[in-house]
């Protein structure tokens, strides 16, 4: 499914000024820029770009709400004439009914709201939630996840991230891919997921940094809500060459994914299912596991606990990550999964299963038993560290089930998908380095299976680069040229 809308955040108007005053971040330059972007002529640089939607602040329960809506009316009308859909953000204590009535009058496509009301509004709605949670009710025409991380290599060692405790030395990557996958697991694969990730306040973000932000969402089937830092917005207002070049790189990356929209229908390839309700007391451990598994190249499928009747036939292992009671229906299904040859990984207090012979465990923190044709692995102690749980899970599942492997990944993250008939596959590679230069190390990629034909795609190139694979251990190994912000290996089966 391809997002029909490619949205861009459009900060402008008196309400934006007031909100920045309250936050203590308003400068004279910011005030002028917010005022200038109210004017229809500010839209000129969007001409010829793939951007087709604007997100404006619409109401926040402030005295300036009505003034904001009047100030943006001409901008919205001009945008509509040029084919732009406008979405209005409603937050705080704003009167939703009044905001919706004015939105309908001004021609907004939809309102972005925290809670979708039962009563029908005169315009469509987009549900918003705060990262790392996802919206679990009726989502409207899309779902916006706010407050997400800017995609990059975490540069500060003072943040006390768990990556510092990892033995591999891999850098910690801030990515939102797992969050997009969770939102689609909860809401369905057709859910349009928008990611709000604001550029960090710093000097001169490069075009590659913005291209990476586009790719970090699009590779996983989502859409980054394009948000520009003040320096870039000022440069675009003044038609500065450097700003226009950065804008060109952003558009080029967006257009790349639009041209390859068929990849959105591809499915994640993994033989491990992560089973949880991903909320409440289970939220931290389960979501951090997804985050770490993606970084450490442990492919997974998300199995939401509420969807217990889903088909598990493509899986070889299930990680039951929740610490609560094991419901009878789920218990029965897990026993059947193990009896038919699967591996079930459970917390320490879930040992009340019909276990058979005790087996040698490849992991010291787990006990392993035979169950039918399969196995059950139970933690010896309560799980607290998602990093250790990820490492142990990968060892229990075994690397022999990895659908891909990467050597010299450095600052590169990956996501592997394939068409429903498995005739084509795509390995998305996102480089999270802030450096404008590609890493000096050359990456090698191994894909499980017979993939005699492969191409390397990247934005800005009309044609892909052909890759010659070498048969290796039941798969094909490919040696890649240096990567910039993003590239994708597309392979076809024989």
């Amino acid at each position: 499914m391809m997002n029909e809308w490619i949205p861009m955040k459009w900060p402008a108007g008196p309400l934006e000024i007031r909100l920045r005053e309250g936050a203590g971040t308003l400068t004279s330059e910011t005030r002028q820029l917010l005022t200038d972007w109210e004017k229809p002529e500010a839209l000129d640089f969007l001409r010829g770009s793939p951007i087709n939607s604007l997100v404006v602040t619409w109401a926040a329960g402030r005295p300036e709400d009505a003034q904001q809506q009047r100030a943006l009316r001409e901008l919205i009308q001009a945008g509509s004439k040029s084919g732009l859909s406008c979405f209005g953000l409603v937050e705080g204590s704003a009167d939703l009914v009044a905001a919706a009535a004015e939105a309908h009058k001004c021609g907004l496509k939809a309102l972005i709201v925290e809670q979708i009301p039962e009563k029908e509004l005169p315009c469509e709605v987009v549900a918003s939630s705060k990262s790392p949670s996802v919206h679990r009710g009726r989502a409207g025409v899309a779902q916006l996840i706010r407050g997400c991380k800017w995609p990059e290599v975490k540069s500060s060692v003072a943040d006390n991230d768990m990556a510092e405790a990892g033995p591999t030395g891999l850098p910690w990557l801030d990515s939102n891919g797992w969050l997009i996958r969770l939102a689609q697991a909860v809401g369905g694969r057709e859910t349009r997921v928008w990611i709000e990730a604001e550029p960090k306040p710093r000097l001169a973000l490069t075009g590659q940094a913005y291209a990476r932000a586009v790719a970090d969402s699009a590779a996983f089937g989502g859409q980054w809500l394009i948000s520009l830092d003040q320096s870039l917005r000022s440069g675009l207002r003044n038609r500065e060459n450097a700003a226009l070049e950065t804008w060109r790189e952003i558009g080029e990356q967006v257009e790349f994914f639009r041209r390859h929209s068929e990849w959105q229908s591809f499915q994640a390839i993994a033989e491990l299912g992560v089973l949880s309700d991903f909320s409440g007391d289970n939220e931290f451990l389960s979501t951090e596991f997804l985050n770490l598994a993606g970084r450490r190249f442990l492919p997974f499928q998300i199995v939401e606990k509420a969807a217990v009747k889903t088909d598990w036939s493509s899986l070889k292992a299930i990680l039951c990550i929740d610490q609560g009671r094991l419901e009878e229906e789920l218990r029965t299904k897990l026993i059947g999964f193990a009896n038919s040859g699967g591996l079930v990984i459970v917390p320490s207090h879930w040992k009340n299963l019909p276990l058979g012979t005790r087996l040698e465990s490849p992991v010291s923190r787990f006990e392993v038993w035979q169950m039918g044709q399969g196995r059950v692995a139970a933690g010896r102690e309560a799980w607290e560290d998602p990093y250790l749980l990820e490492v142990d899970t990968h060892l229990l599942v075994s690397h022999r089930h990895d659908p891909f492997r990467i050597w010299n990944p450095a600052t590169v993250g990956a996501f592997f998908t394939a068409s429903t008939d498995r005739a084509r596959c795509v390995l998305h590679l996102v480089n999270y380095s802030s450096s404008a230069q590609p890493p000096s190390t050359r990456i090698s990629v191994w894909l499980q299976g017979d993939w005699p034909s492969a191409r390397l795609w990247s934005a800005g190139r009309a044609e892909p680069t052909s890759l010659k694979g070498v048969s290796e251990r039941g798969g094909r190994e490919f040696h890649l040229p240096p990567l910039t912000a993003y590239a994708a290996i597309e392979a076809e089966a024989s």
Side-chain angles (χ1 to χ4, degrees):
M1 187 276 299
M2 176 64 182
N3 287 301
E4 292 88 351
W5 297 300
I6 301 173
M8 176 177 175
K9 206 168 197 178
W10 197 265
L15 180 55
E16 286 274 10
I17 292 173
R18 179 68 186 90
L19 292 173
R20 281 166 172 73
E21 280 180 337
T25 59
L26 185 69
T27 65
S28 58
E29 167 63 17
T30 305
R31 181 188 293 272
Q32 186 59 55
L33 197 54
L34 294 173
T35 302
D36 290 344
W37 272 39
E38 293 176 20
K39 303 169 184 175
E41 53 266 31
L43 299 171
D44 288 349
F45 73 89
L46 295 177
R47 291 176 183 168
S49 79
I51 309 305
N52 60 18
S53 310
L54 302 180
V55 173
V56 298
T57 299
W58 191 245
R62 302 269 187 159
E64 293 81 7
D65 286 1
Q67 185 183 357
Q68 172 82 351
Q69 293 156 16
R70 288 193 300 271
L72 296 184
R73 186 174 300 161
E74 189 177 352
L75 176 80
I76 293 166
Q77 291 172 350
S80 180
K81 288 179 181 178
S82 61
L84 292 170
S85 298
C86 289
F87 295 78
L89 180 62
V90 178
E91 52 191 340
S93 59
D95 184 334
L96 181 56
V97 173
E102 192 62 26
H104 180 68
K105 189 187 303 182
C106 292
L108 261 66
K109 173 66 179 176
L111 289 182
I112 302 172
V113 299
E114 295 175 359
Q115 295 290 334
I116 297 182
E118 293 297 326
K119 183 179 179 181
E120 188 173 344
L121 298 175
C123 60
E124 294 183 292
V125 291
V126 171
S128 72
S129 58
K130 180 73 172 176
S131 173
S133 298
V134 299
H135 190 84
R136 294 182 174 274
R138 187 164 55 95
V141 296
Q143 177 178 164
L144 171 65
I145 306 178
R146 308 192 65 189
C148 299
K149 293 181 177 180
W150 180 255
E152 63 178 353
V153 176
K154 184 178 285 294
S155 58
S156 172
V157 297
D159 291 337
N160 196 27
D161 280 295
M162 289 182 296
E164 296 172 18
T168 64
L170 289 174
W172 180 269
L173 306 182
D174 281 337
S175 172
N176 299 300
W178 67 271
L179 195 51
I180 293 168
R181 294 186 62 192
L182 178 58
Q184 291 182 336
V186 171
R189 278 183 53 83
E190 295 302 309
T191 301
R192 301 180 183 92
V193 182
W194 296 353
I195 291 293
E196 179 194 61
E198 297 284 353
K200 290 186 175 179
R202 62 180 62 171
L203 294 175
L205 277 174
T206 65
Q208 289 296 300
Y210 282 107
R212 179 173 64 247
V214 172
D216 179 63
S217 290
F220 294 89
Q223 184 73 57
W224 177 47
L225 173 55
I226 296 170
S227 181
L228 311 181
D229 65 57
Q230 180 164 305
S231 175
L232 180 53
R233 287 189 285 120
S234 178
L236 290 171
R237 177 194 58 186
N238 299 332
R239 303 299 188 267
E240 296 172 3
N241 289 336
L244 292 171
E245 174 61 19
T246 296
W247 177 247
R248 183 195 64 77
E249 291 185 65
I250 296 171
E252 200 169 63
Q253 190 69 72
V254 171
E255 179 62 22
F256 173 86
F257 282 102
R258 192 191 67 79
R259 291 198 312 269
H260 293 278
S261 59
E262 76 278 8
W263 291 349
Q264 299 267 339
S265 65
F266 286 17
Q267 299 176 354
I269 301 303
E271 296 182 338
L272 168 68
V274 181
L275 176 66
S276 174
D277 59 18
F278 302 98
S279 61
D281 293 339
N282 301 313
E283 183 174 80
F284 169 74
L285 187 64
S286 60
T287 57
E288 275 302 296
F289 181 91
L290 298 183
N291 189 8
L292 284 160
R295 169 63 195 115
R296 292 177 48 78
F297 308 127
L298 170 58
F300 60 86
Q301 300 276 7
I302 295 175
V303 183
E304 197 191 15
K305 208 170 182 178
V308 68
K309 297 186 185 300
T310 54
D311 181 17
W312 293 357
S313 60
S314 66
L315 301 175
K316 286 186 167 58
I318 293 282
L319 168 63
C320 308
I321 208 165
D322 289 0
Q323 302 297 300
R325 185 178 63 87
L326 184 59
E327 295 84 357
E328 188 58 33
E329 184 179 10
L330 181 57
R331 181 178 184 274
T332 300
K333 186 165 185 178
L334 288 170
I335 291 172
F337 181 78
N339 282 331
S340 62
L343 166 65
V344 177
I345 305 171
V346 298
S348 57
H349 63 280
W350 282 17
K351 294 178 183 176
N352 59 336
L353 297 170
L355 304 174
T357 306
R358 187 165 181 166
L359 305 174
E360 183 179 355
S361 175
V363 180
S364 62
R365 286 178 286 268
F366 277 81
E367 298 173 292
V368 179
W369 289 270
Q370 189 79 34
M371 180 182 285
Q373 299 179 44
R375 295 172 296 151
V376 172
R380 294 181 187 273
E381 298 178 354
W383 298 334
E384 295 180 351
D385 188 335
Y387 178 84
L388 293 178
L389 179 58
E390 189 281 333
V391 171
D392 290 346
T393 298
H394 210 159
L395 290 172
L396 287 165
V397 173
S398 173
H399 286 277
R400 71 177 181 272
H401 295 306
D402 290 346
F404 72 92
R405 294 173 192 162
I406 300 182
W407 290 272
N408 299 321
T411 57
V412 171
F415 180 47
F416 190 52
T417 65
S419 57
T420 52
D421 60 3
R422 300 293 180 95
R424 294 166 63 201
C425 71
V426 172
L427 180 65
H428 298 274
L429 301 167
V430 183
N431 181 13
Y432 291 87
S433 172
S434 58
S435 172
Q437 299 298 320
S440 57
T441 56
R442 295 297 184 96
I443 294 175
S444 294
V445 169
W446 175 86
L447 301 180
Q448 187 182 71
D450 187 13
W451 305 100
S453 172
R455 301 174 293 277
L456 185 70
W457 293 93
S458 59
R461 298 176 64 96
E463 298 295 331
T465 301
S466 295
L467 297 175
K468 293 183 179 180
V470 178
S471 294
E472 186 74 28
R473 293 168 292 179
R476 289 271 178 165
E477 186 174 327
F478 301 95
H479 303 284
L480 309 183
L483 303 180
T484 52
Y486 168 84
I489 299 174
E490 183 181 33
E492 295 185 9
S494 57

